[in-house]
Amino acid sequence: MAHDSKEIDEPAPAKLKLYNYWRSSCSQRVRIVLNLKGLDYEYKAVNLMKGEHFHPEYEKLNPIHFVPTLVDGDIVVGDSYAVILYLEDKYPQHPLLPKDLKKKALNLQVASIVSSSIQPFHGVPRLSFVEAKFNDDERLKWTQHYLGKGFTALEKLLKDVPGKYATGDEVLLADVFLVPQVHAAITRFGIDMTAYPRLSRAFAALCELPAFQDALPERQPDCPSTA
Amino acid sequence: MASDSKEIVGAEPAKLKLYSYWRSSCSQRVRIALNLKGLDYEYETVNLLKDEQFDPEFEKLNPIKYVPSLVDGDVVVGDSLAIILYLEDKYPQHPLLPKDLKKKALNLQVANIVGSSIQPLQNLSILKFIETKFDADEKLKWVQHYIVQKAFSALEKLLKDVPGKYTTGDEVLLADVFLAPQIDAGVARFRIDMTEYPRLARAHAAYSELPAFQAALPERQPDYPT
């Protein structure tokens, strides 16, 4: 679980440090995984609104200026997909990838659809090119278009896959990537998830689990009290 | 290596089928991986300019309607990273991920920077959108300044002190597989000046000499327009 680094009085801070931001869906993925694996970590807030991701100290950790970044002793890993697969290897409890190659590939594909075909389009509206040349309405439409396309594909991919969660009755990689994306879609981009019943069903079941609840943006130490 | 599906007569068909487009950098990544692992495959063309990715038959193979998609017997996998990680498990020869966790993570990070922060933001549909809404100049600026420069500068910083002939060392690994098509496309289509990224350029020159990479080039594919 997370400790806000200001509140630790006891000796021996957690070995794992996660540089992240409350609202970042990529950060949320890693928080979920750390929780599922029962791993303590120090929460290092990087305030994206204040441009802290561009500070030279942070750039040393992650030259592309994204969150999250994980520090595990002398190992520094950037990018949520890379961080999660690192955690899978290093801390194999509650494995997120099944042994069955078909099911494993399905989980990897779901994760990739989210990380390559949906999430990158949230960041797009803030690129100065798009801010300068598109109005608010157009930017929202752009994001909604890619969310819709991605969710439609995921719904088709998973509609005949039985189970309580995304790919079956165990919580796996697909669930880790899906939940923050759906959460962002609902809370920030006005997406109506009733169009995606298979995704919605898995999302509802996952949201009940403590590991997922504790990872929610609104539960993080750096979530503004006005949010 | 690839066999154009039209040319197989008589002999048993290759078990692996790759749905690919000559110019797709994502398809090129998988072609490189298949070549490195010495895997024969049948090349199934999906002509993106003729909208063949929207055929219902193809949609069954990949609901997001992107290439590549791999069929291995009864296993169907879409998305280049998922396909390559599947190949890593199923056909472990010439592993693309090292055992060392730090180096493995670095390769995955490079692959994801390419796969999430560069390629998706310059795919065909976005480029068409920007060119239609503005013009070809804006399209180029979009790619050069906003996408490639940001990511390539970050990759250069990430890798500049990493020794070795290739991207992350002296073995060809996942990072090389992802970077090769991205740099090729950058240079051939978007006039990226690789002298600004010497560490990337040096690795690129080295792996580009390898047959596995050459055979995967767009211009060597069966559907390359003559």
Side-chain angles (χ1 to χ4, degrees):
Chain A
M1 302 295 140
H3 305 279
D4 180 20
S5 53
K6 293 192 196 68
E7 291 167 0
I8 294 179
D9 288 326
E10 292 109 23
K15 185 175 74 150
L16 287 169
K17 294 184 198 187
L18 184 68
Y19 289 78
N20 77 124
Y21 181 61
W22 65 286
R23 207 185 203 191
S24 146
S25 65
C26 303
S27 300
Q28 191 179 346
R29 298 168 194 161
V30 177
R31 297 193 298 251
I32 291 168
V33 171
L34 291 164
N35 294 346
L36 286 169
K37 290 181 180 288
L39 294 167
D40 275 341
Y41 65 97
E42 202 179 309
Y43 191 107
K44 307 287 285 189
V46 180
N47 191 331
L48 302 185
M49 292 295 117
K50 290 188 178 168
E52 288 178 359
H53 48 317
F54 293 114
H55 288 180
E57 282 310 304
Y58 188 69
E59 189 181 288
K60 281 189 204 136
L61 294 176
N62 194 340
I64 199 155
H65 316 123
F66 290 163
V67 285
T69 302
L70 183 85
V71 176
D72 184 3
D74 69 332
I75 292 187
V76 179
V77 187
D79 188 85
S80 63
Y81 211 132
V83 171
I84 291 168
L85 293 185
Y86 167 81
L87 292 171
E88 267 296 271
D89 277 335
K90 185 94 187 277
Y91 307 100
Q93 64 270 30
H94 199 304
L96 299 168
L97 287 169
K99 292 205 177 351
D100 174 70
L101 291 194
K102 202 169 176 172
K103 198 164 177 182
K104 185 175 182 179
L106 180 62
N107 273 272
L108 291 166
Q109 187 175 346
V110 170
S112 287
I113 287 174
V114 172
S115 67
S116 301
S117 302
I118 309 181
Q119 190 281 334
F121 299 97
H122 299 177
V124 164
R126 279 193 287 280
L127 285 175
S128 53
F129 174 99
V130 180
E131 258 176 359
K133 293 175 187 297
F134 292 76
N135 62 38
D136 282 350
D137 216 33
E138 285 170 321
R139 290 202 296 274
L140 183 61
K141 279 203 177 70
W142 176 313
T143 302
Q144 288 175 331
H145 168 78
Y146 283 97
L147 282 165
K149 183 172 173 159
F151 284 155
T152 301
L154 289 170
E155 184 71 19
K156 287 192 176 123
L157 196 59
L158 299 173
K159 70 173 170 40
D160 297 329
V161 179
K164 200 169 163 185
Y165 305 120
T167 63
D169 289 328
E170 295 165 295
V171 174
L172 296 170
L173 193 76
D175 304 292
V176 168
F177 275 71
L178 188 67
V179 164
Q181 192 60 74
V182 174
H183 182 82
I186 295 171
T187 59
R188 293 160 59 189
F189 304 111
I191 300 296
D192 177 6
M193 292 301 297
T194 60
Y196 316 106
R198 180 66 180 86
L199 301 184
S200 297
R201 188 178 93 221
F203 180 72
L206 292 160
C207 284
E208 305 206 327
L209 303 173
F212 285 79
Q213 289 176 347
D214 289 342
L216 285 169
E218 44 270 36
R219 298 243 187 134
Q220 304 316 303
D222 58 337
C223 175
S225 49
T226 48
Chain B
M1 302 293 140
S3 338
D4 182 18
S5 56
K6 294 189 193 73
E7 290 166 2
I8 294 178
V9 175
E12 241 179 78
K15 189 174 67 157
L16 288 169
K17 285 190 201 189
L18 182 69
Y19 289 78
S20 156
Y21 179 59
W22 64 281
R23 206 186 205 189
S24 146
S25 65
C26 304
S27 303
Q28 190 179 344
R29 296 168 195 162
V30 178
R31 298 193 300 250
I32 293 169
L34 289 163
N35 293 346
L36 285 168
K37 289 178 179 291
L39 294 167
D40 276 339
Y41 64 95
E42 217 173 290
Y43 190 105
E44 299 282 346
T45 299
V46 181
N47 190 333
L48 302 184
L49 294 184
K50 290 190 178 164
D51 287 348
E52 287 179 1
Q53 67 275 33
F54 299 115
D55 285 348
E57 284 310 304
F58 183 69
E59 194 180 319
K60 282 188 204 141
L61 295 177
N62 197 355
I64 198 145
K65 303 176 230 184
Y66 290 156
V67 283
S69 187
L70 182 87
V71 176
D72 184 3
D74 70 333
V75 179
V76 179
V77 189
D79 187 83
S80 62
L81 182 59
I83 293 172
I84 292 170
L85 294 181
Y86 166 81
L87 292 173
E88 269 296 273
D89 278 334
K90 185 94 187 274
Y91 308 99
Q93 63 271 29
H94 199 304
L96 297 170
L97 286 169
K99 294 207 178 346
D100 175 69
L101 292 193
K102 198 168 173 172
K103 199 164 176 182
K104 186 175 182 179
L106 180 62
N107 273 272
L108 286 163
Q109 185 180 0
V110 171
N112 277 288
I113 287 173
V114 173
S116 301
S117 309
I118 308 180
Q119 190 281 331
L121 300 178
Q122 57 177 74
N123 70 25
L124 204 58
S125 66
I126 295 204
L127 294 184
K128 259 194 241 179
F129 175 73
I130 293 183
E131 191 166 19
T132 306
K133 189 170 168 70
F134 304 107
D135 55 38
D137 262 351
E138 287 300 324
K139 181 178 83 170
L140 200 58
K141 231 198 299 189
W142 166 261
V143 176
Q144 286 176 337
H145 293 165
Y146 294 93
I147 310 304
V148 175
Q149 187 188 49
K150 180 182 157 88
F152 276 16
S153 331
L155 287 167
E156 187 68 19
K157 283 182 188 141
L158 192 62
L159 300 165
K160 68 174 168 42
D161 296 327
V162 178
K165 197 170 164 184
Y166 303 117
T167 304
T168 62
D170 289 325
E171 294 164 297
V172 172
L173 296 170
L174 192 75
D176 305 291
V177 171
F178 271 69
L179 275 170
Q182 203 61 62
I183 294 175
D184 285 341
V187 169
R189 293 163 61 194
F190 305 112
R191 297 184 231 150
I192 301 302
D193 179 3
M194 289 305 295
T195 61
E196 295 182 30
Y197 316 105
R199 180 65 182 87
L200 299 183
R202 188 179 94 221
H204 190 74
Y207 52 65
S208 296
E209 304 202 325
L210 304 172
F213 285 74
Q214 290 179 345
L217 286 169
E219 50 267 36
R220 299 257 186 117
Q221 303 316 303
D223 59 334
Y224 174 68
T226 38

